[in-house]
Each structure stands twice: as C-alpha cells, then as structure tokens.
Amino acid sequence: ISSTEVQNIIMIINIILSTWIAIGLYYKSKRDVEESALYSELLEIQRFSFYDPFLEDKNYTQQWDTLKEKYEKNELNGEELNKFLKYDAFTEIIFNFLYKSFRFYKSEKKLLEFVDFESWLDTHKKCWKNPIQAHSNRKVYGQKMFNMVENWLK
C-alpha cells in the first residue's frame, strides 16, 4: 500500500468517525431537549395544582361521577361548572403528559423512575375510568398505554 492510499484510508476513517460522532451528539442533544421539555411541563402541571389545589384534592376528585352526571344533565351552577371543566382539562393535560413521557422513556420502568404516575393517577382514577367522551382514553392514547394505566388502577 502506498502512502497516498494510507492517507486516503485514514481520511475516510476520519470522515466516518466524525460523521458518526456528530450524529450521536445530535441525537443526544435532541433527547436532552425533549427531556428538559418534559421537566418543564411537569413543573407547569405542579403550578396548576398549586394555584387550584382542588385539582389534586381527593375529596374533590372522588366526586367525578356525580359531577359528570350533573354536567350531562346541565345541573352545574357557574362555579361548579367552572371547577368541573377546569378539572377535566387538568386531567387531560396529565394524561397527555403521561403519553408524551411514555413515548419518550419507552418502558414502564423508566417512566416510573421519572415520575410515579402509578400513584399520581390514583387520585384521578374516576376521571380516567369515566371520561366525558366514552372510550376516548383507549382511542387517544393507544392500547399499550391504556392497558398500563388500567393495570395501575386495579
């Protein structure tokens, strides 16, 4: 092998390694940004419940079925309706956050190391089991996540 061929081989190896390292750094950086976004969203969710503590109050959340029935009969007054709709939106945010987190971590074990969703969702069990739109959880979040949550809430 001539010295020119050796130089060419070294350049090719250098280009391949540089490209591989750059791609690896890109995906690592992208993953770090996605994880940071999840932490920011978690902080925002916690802020919601700080300003409206009823959102995480089991005394309120356990009334879901009764409130939903009143909602469907148009029997909620202004403040009750406002709280009910705010709580429904809050749980949707939580369930969407769980979905994004599950897609990011790709396994139940890693997901639960990030946030103890299993305990957290127990507070919102009635809303998950009896959503305003029947069967919407399975349709929106997919069978895999639906089964995981159902297993937690047994």
Side-chain angles (χ1 to χ4, degrees):
I1 296 179
S2 70
S3 64
T4 305
E5 290 174 339
V6 170
Q7 286 177 340
N8 286 342
I9 290 171
I10 291 172
M11 274 194 340
I12 290 171
I13 291 172
N14 189 20
I15 290 169
I16 290 170
L17 283 174
S18 296
T19 302
W20 183 74
I21 290 170
I23 290 170
L25 289 173
Y26 167 77
Y27 282 108
K28 169 84 171 97
S29 173
K30 183 177 181 243
R31 186 161 172 81
D32 289 347
V33 167
E34 289 174 10
E35 188 171 39
S36 178
L38 288 175
Y39 277 101
S40 293
E41 190 169 347
L42 176 60
L43 182 62
E44 197 61 33
I45 291 169
Q46 290 170 330
R47 192 172 287 132
F48 290 147
S49 62
F50 176 78
Y51 288 109
D52 287 313
F54 76 93
L55 296 171
E56 291 286 348
D57 181 2
K58 249 191 166 170
N59 292 324
Y60 181 81
T61 65
Q62 294 305 307
Q63 298 176 51
W64 174 259
D65 292 332
T66 303
L67 292 169
K68 181 183 172 208
E69 188 177 310
K70 284 182 172 182
Y71 171 76
E72 289 170 341
K73 293 178 180 177
N74 206 19
E75 294 176 353
L76 293 175
N77 67 33
E79 180 60 28
E80 287 176 322
L81 179 61
N82 184 42
K83 284 177 80 172
F84 175 80
L85 294 175
K86 189 178 275 191
Y87 176 66
D88 181 58
F90 178 74
T91 57
E92 186 175 338
I93 290 168
I94 291 173
F95 302 148
N96 288 339
F97 176 66
L98 168 61
Y99 179 72
K100 287 183 236 174
S101 299
F102 185 55
R103 284 185 43 201
F104 179 80
Y105 287 106
K106 296 180 177 41
S107 80
E108 183 176 356
K109 182 180 186 286
K110 289 179 183 176
L111 175 71
L112 293 173
E113 288 170 359
F114 169 58
V115 172
D116 183 10
F117 283 104
E118 187 172 3
S119 297
W120 188 13
L121 291 187
D122 187 59
T123 302
H124 309 290
K125 179 179 185 173
K126 289 190 178 244
C127 187
W128 172 266
K129 296 274 190 187
N130 187 16
I132 290 177
Q133 296 287 326
H135 311 294
S136 61
N137 292 336
R138 185 185 317 260
K139 291 175 189 171
V140 172
Y141 303 114
Q143 194 65 44
K144 191 171 183 180
M145 186 180 123
F146 179 82
N147 289 343
M148 181 177 64
V149 172
E150 287 291 309
N151 187 48
W152 292 344
L153 299 179
K154 283 183 181 175

